[in-house]
Amino acid sequence: MTTDLHGPLAAYAARLHTTIGDRHHVASPLGAWLLLALAAATGPDRVDHPVAEALTDALGTDLDTAATIARALLDAPHPLVASATALWHRPGQGDGGPADWRAALPSTTEVGALPDQAGLDAWAREHTLGLIERFPLTVGPDVVLALASALATRVSWAEPFDVADAHALGADSPWARRLRRALRTPEHGHRCAIATTPEAGDVITHAASAQADGGAGLVVLSVAAGPQVPPTDVLAAAYRISAGAADGAQPAGHRALFDLPLGDAPLWTVREERVRTRARDGREERHTAVLPCWSARSEHDLTGPALGFAAASATLGKALALPVRNFEARQVAMATFGRYGFEAAAVTGMFGLTSLPPEGVRRTAELRFGHPYAVVAVATDRRSDGTTGPWHGVPVFSAWIAEPEELPDADA
């Protein structure tokens, strides 16, 4: 079962990616959402109604629920997703108001005196596995408080990709002419599908996973639609599909290959051959996918009215009895997707028988991620007793891939 956070976070991701636009980028809607939830935790009973309403609207749920979700995530860290939050204030300021706001925060949230710039940068490096070098905001004498979140992951695929000639991305792919090599799914261990979605029509999907001891993991889902579909619609479809990615579910609207015509389509090619198969009706389906390597480094201004940071700033100012009159909010994020694994980080600041089976027919679809597409990285958190933890199904990072990269010679 996915966490209650998935719906609100998908809605927040739509707002964030809309403000960013269709340029190549990576972001962590979760990193920004967590800051709003921390602000909600500090003073839901003390803020004015318009401020509470604006914060509730951005969070997509009531303030108490958001605060509870944030505490559940941050106080039970995921083994493959490093997470940290902090609330700092100027020494001698922020102590004059009621003290109950501290107890409302997650126990792991660092609270204390505002660091200098070197301290902020060091915090960013420490909590992102060294992937983010600098805090996204520059501290100055006018800063009285700072709220920060950091998320990071560095994983190896359970099954690494094979290498393909980039021409396999498709004759119509502009990337096929720019690159020499691409990634092809291995025989086992990756999941692919063709599905029809309400947001983007027919899409192709690919999911690669990494696993930690104890059942927790990370699934990186890639979703491509026709090149004419707006990025916001593809990302919305990716978030919808990601709701089942942690459980390995087929996407809603999944299309059977035997219902599709043979030959080339804009996103795939379906071919048929006689094989030995154990499929019950003698009709076997198989999917492969070809994707490019990619990496992205992005910075995002979070001051837009739809993103909720004006309300978060007002909430914190009142909770800490600080004279907050204006605010800055920014996120820096990075991600790399390659043959052997995936790494990503974001800092957000407000400042496979010996006997032959019977003969049948197999259809194979090769899915071509040959033009811009969406990516969502989803945490899995399944326990040995069959239950799921608070991170299960939570989308941690998402991206719009518009600038592929060559497979490094060392990985070829």
Side-chain angles (χ1 to χ4, degrees):
M1 182 178 70
T2 58
T3 176
D4 288 341
L5 176 56
H6 195 279
L9 190 55
Y12 191 83
R15 294 181 181 215
L16 179 56
H17 286 288
T18 296
T19 66
I20 297 169
D22 61 359
R23 61 181 170 89
H24 180 74
H25 70 270
V26 63
S28 178
L30 175 61
W33 191 94
L34 282 173
L35 291 197
L36 303 185
L38 293 185
T42 63
D45 301 324
R46 290 193 288 271
V47 294
D48 298 331
H49 177 71
V51 172
E53 191 173 37
L55 195 53
T56 299
D57 180 60
L59 286 163
T61 188
D62 65 87
L63 304 189
D64 287 335
T65 297
T68 299
I69 292 172
R71 283 192 292 269
L73 293 179
L74 294 167
D75 288 345
H78 191 279
L80 294 183
V81 182
S83 58
T85 53
L87 174 56
W88 301 296
H89 54 84
R90 283 283 180 194
Q93 300 185 49
D95 299 320
D100 56 341
W101 60 266
R102 292 175 180 265
L105 292 171
S107 62
T108 53
T109 298
E110 178 182 335
V111 178
L114 179 67
D116 60 12
Q117 192 65 47
L120 291 174
D121 294 344
W123 187 89
R125 287 191 297 272
E126 177 185 354
H127 294 290
T128 62
L129 313 176
L131 296 171
I132 302 291
E133 288 285 334
R134 290 183 55 80
F135 196 76
L137 295 169
T138 302
V139 69
D142 57 340
V143 178
V144 294
L145 68 85
L147 189 62
S149 73
L151 296 165
T153 188
R154 181 183 280 136
V155 298
S156 298
W157 304 131
E159 295 291 337
F161 284 92
D162 295 333
V163 178
D165 188 293
H167 287 102
L169 289 167
D172 295 330
S173 169
W175 299 346
R177 297 186 289 273
R178 290 170 47 188
L179 306 174
R180 290 181 297 135
R181 292 182 289 248
L183 307 174
R184 186 187 296 280
T185 50
E187 189 71 22
H188 302 287
H190 293 213
R191 303 194 307 271
C192 303
I194 300 170
T196 299
T197 67
E199 302 92 348
D202 283 343
V203 301
I204 53 175
T205 75
H206 166 267
S209 62
Q211 199 76 16
D213 294 338
L218 191 75
V219 178
V220 180
L221 173 71
S222 300
V223 177
Q228 77 284 355
V229 180
T232 51
D233 292 341
V234 187
L235 280 157
Y239 266 84
R240 176 189 294 273
I241 294 168
S242 76
D247 296 312
Q250 285 276 26
H254 167 257
R255 301 191 65 180
L257 297 188
F258 285 90
D259 293 336
L260 297 172
L262 294 171
D264 291 336
L267 294 170
W268 62 78
T269 297
V270 178
R271 64 181 186 274
E272 187 173 282
E273 58 189 327
R274 303 296 295 180
V275 296
R276 297 286 181 175
T277 177
R278 294 192 183 278
R280 184 172 301 175
D281 59 358
R283 302 203 305 178
E284 178 182 321
E285 294 191 9
R286 178 172 174 262
H287 298 76
T288 66
V290 182
L291 306 88
C293 298
W294 60 267
S295 67
R297 284 188 174 269
S298 308
E299 289 196 25
H300 310 300
D301 182 353
L302 303 179
T303 58
L307 299 180
F309 280 90
S313 175
T315 301
L316 285 169
K318 191 151 190 176
L320 278 67
L322 286 170
V324 177
R325 294 180 174 84
N326 208 342
F327 73 98
E328 295 178 302
R330 197 163 187 85
Q331 181 181 93
V332 58
M334 64 76 61
T336 300
F337 182 101
R339 182 179 182 186
Y340 295 104
F342 174 77
E343 62 181 22
V347 175
T348 310
M350 195 179 74
F351 170 28
L353 283 162
T354 57
S355 62
L356 287 175
E359 190 176 75
V361 178
R362 177 171 67 199
R363 284 195 176 187
T364 299
E366 179 166 287
L367 317 181
R368 298 186 296 271
F369 290 76
H371 58 261
Y373 60 93
V375 172
V376 179
V378 184
T380 62
D381 196 0
R382 187 171 294 284
R383 308 297 169 79
S384 58
D385 61 1
T387 62
T388 57
W391 283 87
H392 193 67
V394 174
V396 185
F397 301 95
S398 45
W400 180 249
I401 307 308
E403 296 179 12
E405 295 185 353
E406 185 60 68
L407 177 73
D409 290 341
D411 291 347

